[in-house]
Amino acid sequence: MLSTVGNTPLVQLVRLFPEFPSRLFVKLERFNPGGSIKDRTALSMLRAKVESGELVPGQSVVVESSSGNLAIGLAQFCAYYAIRFICVVDPKTTRQNLAILTAYHAEIEMVEHPDPVTGEYLPARQRRVRELCDQVPYAYRPDQYANPLNAAAQRQTMAEIVTALDGQIDYLFCSTGTCGTLVGCVGYLREQGLSTRVVAVDAVGSAIFGDEPAVRLIPGHGASIVPPLAADATPDEIMHVSDLDCVVGCRLLLHREAILAGGSSGATVAALRRRMADIPAGATAVLILPDNGDRYLDTIYSDLWVSQHFGEITHLWKDATC
């Protein structure tokens, strides 16, 4: 099963923006076994430790804070390696994700109250992870926000894209949360001597690049803290995308290309849409689409949820050009 991680499809899209006078490719990370790019991260952070003997099946305990794709990636690989997994989550974690984690026999540790200083759940979850690591024998904290194995895993993602396009990549749009994908991709591109312009796609209300944190409706990109990995993030450009733009980006992908993708994928689509008038004709642009949309059926793909939060906006993706 481990061999199914990576080597995901790179697909050229021609219907998403037919007016775009350049080549557009998307890297479909939904084809990893757990449905997201976080499978690469999870496997990287576990396999290296298993092979070195630092993680011992039947004895070690993985403790991590995650309410989404990384949690599912860790759960499946901990199940494979027969390693106990304690996943620290909060009330925003979807019922579907909790059900998947339970199916993989992960132990759920629910943090009920946000951090009293910031009002965010992430600092409270991280504090609980540290407490558990002090209490549980043989505990290992992957810490995706600081672990260099996170970024190392995404170097392979970029290598696959570079190989498939023979290095002919003018623009890369990459959503960012822990900054693992961003750091790994930029590092690989620069080492290969490629001049690809890397656009980091962040969320409005994210603190990653120095803005004040604010309420965000859509998970998957952005963060309420500045991840330690961000110190090594050197994108050429940073774009902030709103929740509304994410929804429209996702719905455009589905309506025009039949791709059911997650919120961070919609963010990269929105960023390209805003930027494409400045991209020279004949260039090649690549979007990394981190996950599948099946975990967003109650939000992004729910007409009721969308109308409750944004009003009637179906005209933004249902138009005569489709």
PDB file of all heavy atoms in Angstrom, residues 50 55-60 81-83:
ATOM      1  N   VAL A  50      10.626   4.791  11.363  1.00  0.00           N
ATOM      2  CA  VAL A  50      10.529   3.325  11.464  1.00  0.00           C
ATOM      3  C   VAL A  50      11.819   2.681  10.986  1.00  0.00           C
ATOM      4  O   VAL A  50      12.375   1.778  11.627  1.00  0.00           O
ATOM      5  CB  VAL A  50       9.319   2.807  10.661  1.00  0.00           C
ATOM      6  CG1 VAL A  50       9.343   1.273  10.575  1.00  0.00           C
ATOM      7  CG2 VAL A  50       8.007   3.269  11.290  1.00  0.00           C
ATOM      8  N   LEU A  55      10.918   4.621  15.746  1.00  0.00           N
ATOM      9  CA  LEU A  55       9.530   4.194  15.921  1.00  0.00           C
ATOM     10  C   LEU A  55       9.482   2.672  15.889  1.00  0.00           C
ATOM     11  O   LEU A  55       9.947   2.056  14.916  1.00  0.00           O
ATOM     12  CB  LEU A  55       8.636   4.767  14.818  1.00  0.00           C
ATOM     13  CG  LEU A  55       8.087   6.182  15.003  1.00  0.00           C
ATOM     14  CD1 LEU A  55       7.254   6.579  13.783  1.00  0.00           C
ATOM     15  CD2 LEU A  55       7.256   6.294  16.258  1.00  0.00           C
ATOM     16  N   VAL A  56       8.923   2.082  16.945  1.00  0.00           N
ATOM     17  CA  VAL A  56       8.898   0.626  17.064  1.00  0.00           C
ATOM     18  C   VAL A  56       7.455   0.147  17.028  1.00  0.00           C
ATOM     19  O   VAL A  56       6.660   0.488  17.920  1.00  0.00           O
ATOM     20  CB  VAL A  56       9.560   0.167  18.377  1.00  0.00           C
ATOM     21  CG1 VAL A  56       9.529  -1.350  18.483  1.00  0.00           C
ATOM     22  CG2 VAL A  56      10.991   0.691  18.453  1.00  0.00           C
ATOM     23  N   PRO A  57       7.069  -0.619  16.007  1.00  0.00           N
ATOM     24  CA  PRO A  57       5.707  -1.151  15.953  1.00  0.00           C
ATOM     25  C   PRO A  57       5.371  -1.931  17.216  1.00  0.00           C
ATOM     26  O   PRO A  57       6.196  -2.694  17.740  1.00  0.00           O
ATOM     27  CB  PRO A  57       5.743  -2.073  14.726  1.00  0.00           C
ATOM     28  CG  PRO A  57       6.808  -1.472  13.845  1.00  0.00           C
ATOM     29  CD  PRO A  57       7.842  -0.961  14.801  1.00  0.00           C
ATOM     30  N   GLY A  58       4.156  -1.705  17.727  1.00  0.00           N
ATOM     31  CA  GLY A  58       3.728  -2.385  18.928  1.00  0.00           C
ATOM     32  C   GLY A  58       4.170  -1.707  20.213  1.00  0.00           C
ATOM     33  O   GLY A  58       3.730  -2.105  21.307  1.00  0.00           O
ATOM     34  N   GLN A  59       5.029  -0.695  20.110  1.00  0.00           N
ATOM     35  CA  GLN A  59       5.508   0.001  21.304  1.00  0.00           C
ATOM     36  C   GLN A  59       5.333   1.508  21.209  1.00  0.00           C
ATOM     37  O   GLN A  59       4.824   2.139  22.130  1.00  0.00           O
ATOM     38  CB  GLN A  59       6.992  -0.321  21.530  1.00  0.00           C
ATOM     39  CG  GLN A  59       7.588   0.356  22.757  1.00  0.00           C
ATOM     40  CD  GLN A  59       9.090   0.118  22.873  1.00  0.00           C
ATOM     41  OE1 GLN A  59       9.873   0.733  22.149  1.00  0.00           O
ATOM     42  NE2 GLN A  59       9.471  -0.791  23.763  1.00  0.00           N
ATOM     43  N   SER A  60       5.752   2.104  20.111  1.00  0.00           N
ATOM     44  CA  SER A  60       5.704   3.552  19.955  1.00  0.00           C
ATOM     45  C   SER A  60       4.273   4.057  19.831  1.00  0.00           C
ATOM     46  O   SER A  60       3.357   3.315  19.432  1.00  0.00           O
ATOM     47  CB  SER A  60       6.506   3.973  18.721  1.00  0.00           C
ATOM     48  OG  SER A  60       7.866   3.619  18.855  1.00  0.00           O
ATOM     49  N   TYR A  81       1.689   0.133   9.981  1.00  0.00           N
ATOM     50  CA  TYR A  81       2.879  -0.214  10.760  1.00  0.00           C
ATOM     51  C   TYR A  81       2.554  -0.787  12.137  1.00  0.00           C
ATOM     52  O   TYR A  81       3.465  -1.116  12.896  1.00  0.00           O
ATOM     53  CB  TYR A  81       3.745   1.034  10.953  1.00  0.00           C
ATOM     54  CG  TYR A  81       4.540   1.438   9.735  1.00  0.00           C
ATOM     55  CD1 TYR A  81       4.359   2.699   9.157  1.00  0.00           C
ATOM     56  CD2 TYR A  81       5.488   0.598   9.170  1.00  0.00           C
ATOM     57  CE1 TYR A  81       5.111   3.096   8.052  1.00  0.00           C
ATOM     58  CE2 TYR A  81       6.235   0.983   8.065  1.00  0.00           C
ATOM     59  CZ  TYR A  81       6.038   2.236   7.510  1.00  0.00           C
ATOM     60  OH  TYR A  81       6.788   2.619   6.413  1.00  0.00           O
ATOM     61  N   ALA A  82       1.275  -0.893  12.477  1.00  0.00           N
ATOM     62  CA  ALA A  82       0.853  -1.384  13.795  1.00  0.00           C
ATOM     63  C   ALA A  82       1.395  -0.491  14.910  1.00  0.00           C
ATOM     64  O   ALA A  82       1.955  -0.963  15.907  1.00  0.00           O
ATOM     65  CB  ALA A  82       1.280  -2.826  14.011  1.00  0.00           C
ATOM     66  N   ILE A  83       1.225   0.806  14.731  1.00  0.00           N
ATOM     67  CA  ILE A  83       1.655   1.799  15.711  1.00  0.00           C
ATOM     68  C   ILE A  83       0.413   2.526  16.236  1.00  0.00           C
ATOM     69  O   ILE A  83      -0.439   2.951  15.458  1.00  0.00           O
ATOM     70  CB  ILE A  83       2.635   2.808  15.078  1.00  0.00           C
ATOM     71  CG1 ILE A  83       3.945   2.097  14.699  1.00  0.00           C
ATOM     72  CG2 ILE A  83       2.914   3.971  16.016  1.00  0.00           C
ATOM     73  CD1 ILE A  83       4.903   2.963  13.923  1.00  0.00           C
TER      74      ILE A  83
END
